[in-house]
């Protein structure tokens, strides 16, 4: 079917925030993703925030079963998915009730009136129908019988059961939103043809419903005009929209190619890290070897074995899985073998909030192992730079012969943003410590004078036979040693090796102000929220507040203390109870550290940050 050749005269907006909400089976993630991808192809800057329940299929119509997808698109720089939404598309009463608070007064809500039955209203704990009781008077409500109109649109298509027909109603909503914001249908129709190429009736149904929603919005008198958001001004290059987990996987692919090593992934599936495994499995043609292990310990142990055999080895997990991997991380540290452990943080403790975001694993990553067991710790801060920090984690683990833990979180792992496609030839060099020549005086724990990395002797090479294991090593031969002085020496040399990573990581740089009254400090996935909020307050004329963000946490950058002491107060903002604040307090004296913590499974909002900044500035 041809895309409608409709040319409205749209009103130009700088940015817009849209949220799609409904039951887990209503396809809100797909709807939001399609709108995001289409807008990215148009040239808008984008940030997204998928938000869905942990249950595989929560009870239909329940408040805790609501699945949502928020997208913020603009012709200007977009750092966050945004706070208050301009348009809410609610497919049922539960979606409306749990998300109404986020809609700006006077702005638009689209609802599927067919879903507002007595039964669904009761499930959503409504005593009266909000479409009739005046409680939505402050909003522009567009009532659409989406389910009925969807069924009418596909009634002539054979081979569809009632469930398949109902599942296409999300495309009706998407078609309406495409018209409202002057988007083309072409990308989504191409998606149908690719995804459902063996099911022509599904292609026809979804395409027809999408077009029906588009035309319905055009003729609906309640929508007087369309809007458009011009393309953003971005650095020239080829872009694609990318999710954080995908970017992480691709960063490892690039690192393996640059280092001329085969990539091995040994992992156990866990939310929200599993998509890294899913992505790497697709790339066997690049020599990727992947093992879906029977548990977390087997996953990391297989990766250690692959590293011993000369592979770039990684393992992926989330908080509970990281706890199980603790002993094996200590083993890799003791063996001094390269290994990257990706921890996609989620709400905890225990099973906690597996589909929600949090930053509560920092202290576990730094200290959650027996003995003196330091490792390198990095934290990505945006969906796009998950690629860069995965690459950097691989570079550091190979060059320093020690485990690296890469922290991301559910917010940036599942979120998406435009990413400028890079060429491997332009990426930084990765030098490995593999022994190329066997000499008479070779020893397995000979070290590089600069990095203190030991050499990487690949088993099976004549003349490189040596012992490995979890017992303490002799400083030269690698044989088991119980000599007290040797143990102390090896403990200190392993710690010094981590410290020397400071020599090759960038120093901290502040934004907005180099000195002043307040320095806002963040780490990991809070970057977009914090940067946007400090930018907002600077826009109001406040100039005595700066911002700094940590991506390297162990070791901390060399100039950390110098930067922090340029400000009277240090405001550390974290999605936990204050874990980085504890680290900074233990490392640096004389700092006035103030904490702002949020532990709700949600990212910071711009409004709450700006309010806190103003409070601290007083």
């Amino acid at each position: 079917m041809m895309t409608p050749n409709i040319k409205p005269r749209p009103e130009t907006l700088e940015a817009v925030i849209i949220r799609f909400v409904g039951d887990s089976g209503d396809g809100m993630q797909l709807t939001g993703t399609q709108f995001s991808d289409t807008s990215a192809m148009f040239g808008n800057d984008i940030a997204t925030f998928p938000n869905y329940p942990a249950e595989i299929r929560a009870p239909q119509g329940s408040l805790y079963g609501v699945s949502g997808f928020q997208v913020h698109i603009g012709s200007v720089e977009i750092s966050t998915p945004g706070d208050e939404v301009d348009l809410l598309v609610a497919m049922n009463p539960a979606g409306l009730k749990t998300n109404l608070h986020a809609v700006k007064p006077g702005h638009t809500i689209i609802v599927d009136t067919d879903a507002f039955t007595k039964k669904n209203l009761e499930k959503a704990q409504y005593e009266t129908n909000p479409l009739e009781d005046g409680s939505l008077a402050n909003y522009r409500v567009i009532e659409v019988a989406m389910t009925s109109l969807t069924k009418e649109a596909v009634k002539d298509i054979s081979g569809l059961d009632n469930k398949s027909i109902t599942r296409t109603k999300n495309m009706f909503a998407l078609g309406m939103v495409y018209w409202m914001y002057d988007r083309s249908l072409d990308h989504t129709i191409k998606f149908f043809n690719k995804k459902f190429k063996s099911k022509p009736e599904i292609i026809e149904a979804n395409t027809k419903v999408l077009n029906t929603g588009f035309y319905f919005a055009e003729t609906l008198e309640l929508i007087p005009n369309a809007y458009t958001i011009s393309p953003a001004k971005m650095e020239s290059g080829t872009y694609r929209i990318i999710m954080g987990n995908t970017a992480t996987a691709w960063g490892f692919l690039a690192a393996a190619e640059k280092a001329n090593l085969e990539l091995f992934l040994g992992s156990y599936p866990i939310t929200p890290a599993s998509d890294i495994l899913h992505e790497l499995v697709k790339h066997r043609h690049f020599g990727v070897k992947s093992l879906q292990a029977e548990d977390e310990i087997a996953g990391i142990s297989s990766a250690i074995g692959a590293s011993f055999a000369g592979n770039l080895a990684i393992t992926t997990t989330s908080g509970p899985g990281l706890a199980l991997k603790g002993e094996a991380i200590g083993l890799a540290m003791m063996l001094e073998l390269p290994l990257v452990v990706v921890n996609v943080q989620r709400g905890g403790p225990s099973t906690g909030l597996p589909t929600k975001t949090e930053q509560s694993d920092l202290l576990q990553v730094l200290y959650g192992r027996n003995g003196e067991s330091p490792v390198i710790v990095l934290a990505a801060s945006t969906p796009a730079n998950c690629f860069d920090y995965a690459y950097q984690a691989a570079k550091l683990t190979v060059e320093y012969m020690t485990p690296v833990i890469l922290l991301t979180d559910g917010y940036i792992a599942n979120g998406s943003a435009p990413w400028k496609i890079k060429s491997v030839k332009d990426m930084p060099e990765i030098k490995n410590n593999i022994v190329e020549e066997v000499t008479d005086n070779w020893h397995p724990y000979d070290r590089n004078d600069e990095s203190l990395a030991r050499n990487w002797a690949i088993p099976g090479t004549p003349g490189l036979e040596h012992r490995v294991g979890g017992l303490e090593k002799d400083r030269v031969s690698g044989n088991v040693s119980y000599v007290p002085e040797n143990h102390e020496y090896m403990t200190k040399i392993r710690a010094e090796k981590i410290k020397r990573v400071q020599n090759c990581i960038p120093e901290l740089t502040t934004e907005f102000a180099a000195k002043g009254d307040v320095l806002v400090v963040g780490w990991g996935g809070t970057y977009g929220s914090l940067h946007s909020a400090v930018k907002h307050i600077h826009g109001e004329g406040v100039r005595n507040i700066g911002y700094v963000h940590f991506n390297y946490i162990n070791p901390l950058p060399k100039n950390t203390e110098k930067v922090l002491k340029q400000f009277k107060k240090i405001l550390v903002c974290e999605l936990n109870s204050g874990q980085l604040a504890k680290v900074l307090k233990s490392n640096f004296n004389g700092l006035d550290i103030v904490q702002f913590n949020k532990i709700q499974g949600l990212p910071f909002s711009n409004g709450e940050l700006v309010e806190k900044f103003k409070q601290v500035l007083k």
Side-chain angles (χ1 to χ4, degrees), residues 532-549:
S532 181
V534 178
K535 183 178 179 180
H536 176 95
I537 205 168
H538 262 253
E540 294 183 348
V542 180
R543 296 289 183 265
N544 57 344
I545 182 170
Y547 174 53
V548 72
H549 201 82

Side-chain angles (χ1 to χ4, degrees), residues 334-336 442-447 454-455 466-491 493-494:
M334 175 65 85
L335 296 175
E336 297 188 58
W442 173 82
H443 300 100
Y445 281 81
D446 290 337
R447 298 183 183 276
R454 81 171 182 96
N455 54 59
H466 62 287
R467 299 182 65 178
V468 295
L471 293 171
E472 185 60 275
K473 314 282 181 292
D474 179 82
R475 68 181 70 182
V476 177
S477 68
N479 293 332
V480 176
S481 173
Y482 287 93
V483 176
E485 293 78 10
N486 180 79
H487 174 53
E488 184 168 340
Y489 172 86
M490 291 294 280
T491 299
I493 206 75
R494 289 188 290 262

Side-chain angles (χ1 to χ4, degrees), residues 326-331 333-334 367-374 470:
E327 183 180 0
I329 294 172
L331 172 62
M333 189 279 309
M334 175 65 85
Y367 309 119
R369 293 169 296 281
N370 65 297
E372 302 286 346
S373 186

Side-chain angles (χ1 to χ4, degrees), residues 269-330:
I270 184 171
T271 301
S274 298
D275 282 341
I276 302 173
L277 170 61
H278 300 159
E279 181 63 28
L280 287 176
V281 165
K282 300 175 185 176
H283 300 290
R284 293 174 185 168
H285 54 287
F286 287 143
V288 177
K289 293 170 287 187
S290 56
L291 171 66
Q292 181 175 318
E294 67 268 24
D295 56 43
E296 295 283 2
I297 298 171
I300 189 172
S301 297
S302 68
I304 292 172
S307 176
F308 182 56
N311 292 261
L312 172 57
I314 62 175
T315 186
T316 56
T317 191
S318 191
L322 186 72
L324 291 168
K325 292 181 189 290
E327 183 180 0
I329 294 172

Side-chain angles (χ1 to χ4, degrees), residues 40 117 199 225 246 248 301 362 386-387 418 446 457 517 582 618:
T117 62
K199 299 177 179 179
N225 63 307
T246 303
T248 300
S301 297
L362 182 61
C386 284
F387 176 92
D446 290 337
D517 292 332
K582 286 184 174 68
K618 289 180 181 179

